[in-house]
């Protein structure tokens, strides 16, 4: 199985930045993509950014130009650099690891943006 450990969340002022990290361990050689999802109170969990094993990136429209997803394959880690944060970015952010056969979720990390 794959285990994902997230870090980097916290409280930040509007306009500030955070960088989330998600490190995978276990059977990780079959990775198809990794993504970051957000879940705000009372809302569905929604895709924020995704990166494929080939390096193709996808972003939700509200974060385009502000967030960047990247990987460090040597460390089996995916990052989400979040700049120009807005209060509406406040949510629990979950890392998702996707294989051909299954998917795995990180434990979530809280991001709170104050105004």
């Amino acid at each position: 199985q794959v285990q994902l450990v997230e870090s980097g969340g916290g409280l930040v002022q509007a306009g500030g930045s955070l960088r989330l990290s998600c490190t995978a361990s276990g059977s990780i050689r079959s990775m198809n993509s990794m993504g970051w999802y957000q879940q705000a109170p009372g809302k569905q969990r929604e895709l924020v950014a995704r990166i494929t094993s080939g390096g193709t990136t996808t972003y939700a429209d509200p974060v385009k130009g502000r967030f960047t997803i990247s990987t460090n394959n040597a460390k089996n880690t995916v990052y989400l650099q979040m700049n120009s944060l807005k209060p509406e970015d406040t949510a629990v952010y979950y890392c998702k690891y996707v294989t051909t056969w299954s998917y795995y979720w990180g434990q979530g990390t809280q991001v709170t943006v104050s105004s």
Side-chain angles (χ1 to χ4, degrees), residues 29-87:
R29 294 180 182 180
S30 60
M31 190 270 282
N32 289 345
S33 67
M34 297 187 75
W36 288 97
Y37 290 70
Q38 67 174 42
Q39 188 163 24
K43 295 185 178 181
Q44 296 264 62
R45 189 173 298 184
E46 296 183 341
L47 177 70
V48 174
R50 179 194 295 122
I51 185 166
T52 71
S53 60
T56 301
T57 58
T58 302
Y59 298 94
D61 191 67
V63 309
K64 288 180 180 176
R66 300 190 297 120
F67 292 7
T68 303
I69 188 169
S70 62
T71 59
N72 184 328
N73 290 332
K75 296 182 178 181
N76 299 316
T77 299
V78 62
Y79 304 94
L80 185 67
Q81 178 67 47
M82 305 187 294
N83 297 326
S84 302
L85 282 161
K86 304 175 180 179

